[in-house]
Amino acid sequence: MSEATDLQASGRGGDEANPRVLVIGGSGTLGSTLCRALARDGARVALTFRSQEARARETGREIEAAAVLSLDLREVATIRGVVDAAAEALG
């Protein structure tokens, strides 16, 4: 069984009609553009930021993001909590 199939079977992978995505670095130029494109295509989006909170929150308002989350990838121990928070927000 593939990883995607495993996730779908567990109920954590969503489905193609209502994709849920977590964009790491959603406050940057590329990340915010990606968030907008995904949302425009019907995805439910959660996004992260490290230092550009204002930009991240602005992007979140523009696309009605389910979650805007602080994440510093240098703090490995916090990654699982952010992924869990995004999953909770995205349903």
Side-chain angles (χ1 to χ4, degrees):
M1 202 180 265
S2 73
E3 182 178 342
T5 304
D6 288 343
L7 287 173
Q8 288 177 338
S10 71
R12 297 181 309 167
D15 58 52
E16 291 182 27
N18 298 301
R20 298 172 289 179
V21 296
L22 170 60
V23 178
I24 306 298
S27 63
T29 301
L30 182 58
S32 62
T33 300
L34 177 61
C35 288
R36 285 186 204 83
L38 289 164
R40 188 172 44 249
D41 288 345
R44 296 179 61 206
V45 178
L47 63 114
T48 70
F49 67 92
R50 181 176 60 87
S51 60
Q52 299 183 60
E53 182 174 1
R55 283 189 65 181
R57 298 227 176 265
E58 179 181 330
T59 299
R61 282 189 298 274
E62 288 176 18
I63 65 169
E64 299 180 22
V68 177
L69 305 161
S70 175
L71 175 62
D72 186 340
L73 291 172
R74 298 173 296 185
E75 301 294 329
V76 176
T78 65
I79 295 171
R80 167 131 349 242
V82 169
V83 171
D84 289 345
E88 178 75 23
L90 295 171

